[in-house]
Amino acid sequence: MTVRTRFAPSPTGMLHIGGARTALFAWLYARHHGGEFVLRIEDTDRERSTEEATAVILDGLKWLGLDWDGEPVFQAERQPEHIVAVDQLIEEGHAYRCYCSKEELDEMREAQRTAGKKPMYDGRCRHRSDRPEGAPFVVRFRSPDEGETIVNDLVLGTVTFPNVELDDLILLRTDGTPTYNLAVVADDAAMGITHVVRGSDHLNNTPRQIQLYQALGLPIPQFAHIPLIHGPDGAKMSKRHGAVAITEYREKGYLPHAVNNYLARLGWSHGDEEVFSRQQLIEYFDLAAVGKGASRFDQQKLDWLNGHWMREAEAADLVAEVARLLAVDTAAGPDLEPVIASLQERSKNLVDLAEGARFFYTAPSAYDEKAVAKNFKEGTTELVEKFIAGIEAMDDFSGEAAHALIGQVCEAEGVGMGKLAQPIRILVAGGPVSPPIDLTLGLLGKDESLARLKNGLAALKQ
């Protein structure tokens, strides 16, 4: 059997951390077994589904590197097949038309509540023989009255549902559109899904879906319900915990693999290891190692992993994203790759790195006042002017040569190198932070370094 998993988001909102983790687990399980991972957009809610949300979901999955096999399937386009399944269930006695009005249903439920019973449909239309002309109706599934429906879950183990607690589910609404449970069963069967990996909030749907598979004579996939993600305080995830669109993590400068590495560890473990390459995640991942309890979102651990993968990344692989975040013309400045390499070690994320790189492409128009007050003392201007003269006299400029010149000027004047290096940094970068001064000057080049030093001194004198 070829393992075939799916991710089936509803395009009524953005792709969030929980959905991204579900997609990741389904993707990893398929790739671990050499199987297929497919994508289905569950867009049957035509009023709330939007093309924008669909585009954001696809963009988020692509950013995370969760490639899918084949073209995405749009559930709304499969409605004729859903109707065929409903017709089969009616014909074989597993479903029936229900003509109950809203008022009748409300009265029924209120009577049940008064009697201390669980409000649920009582099956009164199961044996109804008349068909009121022109009256609206829904189609309901005839759920078994006795016995149990057992879910043998790959994460949660055996979960048993007494059939008496499952009322007759609506399959087709009065407007002729199929409901979630019917459409999911028909689509998963048609797409050959062998393993349904989804959040544990879907567990209550599973016994109903198993009954539908059985009634339609379809093979039942294996289910794996992943416990939900909570905030650090144990409460339901919210925006303050990080429950934002996955694309916001991209805008905040996180690396996609750092996010994947972190999401994989939210509920799954491989010993005490925290850091995994993409290939290691595929090699090690197993649904049997997913915990049954809710996971807690830890922003600090995500930041730590992002810092780790920032340092491990090849600078060339970061060029496109840093250029996007910089949003300035880098053509007139140094190549971005060595600039990135000079900043990687100290950068927490790509936004941090891009901001650190910005001065290489945009000359400072203002200077950090505290840094100027601290580093520009009596005699500092003269030191800088001697350094400028030395640079102008150089035939073969380089960062190493500029660094050596700083040492020579400072030695001749009897001061420490910091007395000159830090003022130079402030003049060329606008503030007290940059890569090592030799790297900084070497990347800027002779002409740009001289221009910034002279312009900076002139500005400070004013």
Side-chain angles (χ1 to χ4, degrees), residues 235-252:
K236 183 180 178 181
M237 275 284 279
S238 65
K239 286 187 177 181
R240 67 187 174 89
H241 293 133
V244 297
I246 202 69
T247 46
E248 286 194 36
Y249 285 93
R250 179 182 181 181
E251 296 309 312
K252 290 177 180 178

Side-chain angles (χ1 to χ4, degrees), residues 159-320:
V159 187
T160 302
F161 294 84
N163 288 336
V164 70
E165 295 184 4
L166 304 174
D167 60 357
D168 291 355
L169 178 73
I170 294 176
L171 303 177
L172 213 62
R173 303 181 185 92
T174 55
D175 63 1
T177 59
T179 58
Y180 166 78
N181 283 295
L182 182 280
V184 164
V185 167
D187 290 345
D188 280 347
M191 296 171 73
I193 302 304
T194 62
H195 295 76
V196 174
V197 181
R198 59 189 179 191
S200 59
D201 52 331
H202 282 282
L203 181 61
N204 287 336
N205 290 320
T206 307
R208 298 182 178 280
Q209 292 173 11
I210 288 176
Q211 290 179 359
L212 284 169
Y213 280 109
Q214 292 169 334
L216 289 165
L218 298 171
I220 302 172
Q222 290 188 274
F223 292 92
H225 291 89
I226 306 167
L228 302 181
I229 303 172
H230 289 170
D233 54 3
K236 183 180 178 181
M237 275 284 279
S238 65
K239 286 187 177 181
R240 67 187 174 89
H241 293 133
V244 297
I246 202 69
T247 46
E248 286 194 36
Y249 285 93
R250 179 182 181 181
E251 296 309 312
K252 290 177 180 178
Y254 288 89
L255 297 177
H257 181 65
V259 175
N260 280 335
N261 188 164
Y262 179 68
L263 290 179
R265 286 291 289 112
L266 272 180
W268 170 81
S269 62
H270 182 74
D272 295 327
E273 295 178 51
E274 296 287 351
V275 178
F276 300 90
S277 68
R278 182 182 174 92
Q279 191 54 44
Q280 285 174 324
L281 287 177
I282 293 171
E283 180 183 349
Y284 300 150
F285 186 81
D286 188 355
L287 288 168
V290 175
K292 296 181 180 182
S295 303
R296 294 202 179 194
F297 187 83
D298 186 338
Q299 185 67 50
Q300 288 184 332
K301 185 176 285 187
L302 172 57
D303 290 342
W304 177 81
L305 278 169
N306 198 65
H308 170 82
W309 288 112
M310 284 284 294
R311 293 186 293 274
E312 292 291 316
E314 294 291 336
D317 295 334
L318 305 180
V319 167

Side-chain angles (χ1 to χ4, degrees), residues 254-411:
Y254 288 89
L255 297 177
H257 181 65
V259 175
N260 280 335
N261 188 164
Y262 179 68
L263 290 179
R265 286 291 289 112
L266 272 180
W268 170 81
S269 62
H270 182 74
D272 295 327
E273 295 178 51
E274 296 287 351
V275 178
F276 300 90
S277 68
R278 182 182 174 92
Q279 191 54 44
Q280 285 174 324
L281 287 177
I282 293 171
E283 180 183 349
Y284 300 150
F285 186 81
D286 188 355
L287 288 168
V290 175
K292 296 181 180 182
S295 303
R296 294 202 179 194
F297 187 83
D298 186 338
Q299 185 67 50
Q300 288 184 332
K301 185 176 285 187
L302 172 57
D303 290 342
W304 177 81
L305 278 169
N306 198 65
H308 170 82
W309 288 112
M310 284 284 294
R311 293 186 293 274
E312 292 291 316
E314 294 291 336
D317 295 334
L318 305 180
V319 167
E321 192 67 3
V322 172
R324 185 185 72 83
L325 291 168
L326 268 172
V328 297
D329 182 12
T330 59
D335 288 343
L336 196 48
E337 185 176 332
V339 170
I340 290 171
S342 74
L343 293 161
Q344 270 179 269
E345 190 66 29
R346 297 183 179 182
S347 299
K348 297 178 295 184
N349 53 59
L350 293 177
V351 168
D352 189 34
L353 194 153
E355 287 308 307
R358 188 171 301 282
F359 81 86
F360 283 104
Y361 306 98
T362 306
S365 56
Y367 302 88
D368 186 299
E369 291 183 6
K370 289 184 179 180
V372 170
K374 180 179 179 180
N375 292 280
F376 279 79
K377 307 294 184 180
E378 185 178 349
T380 299
T381 298
E382 289 74 16
L383 282 175
V384 175
E385 288 174 340
K386 288 178 180 179
F387 176 74
I388 290 173
I391 293 293
E392 289 178 323
M394 278 186 187
D395 293 325
D396 189 13
F397 176 84
S398 68
E400 292 81 359
H403 188 270
L405 178 60
I406 293 173
Q408 292 164 14
V409 172
C410 290
E411 184 177 358

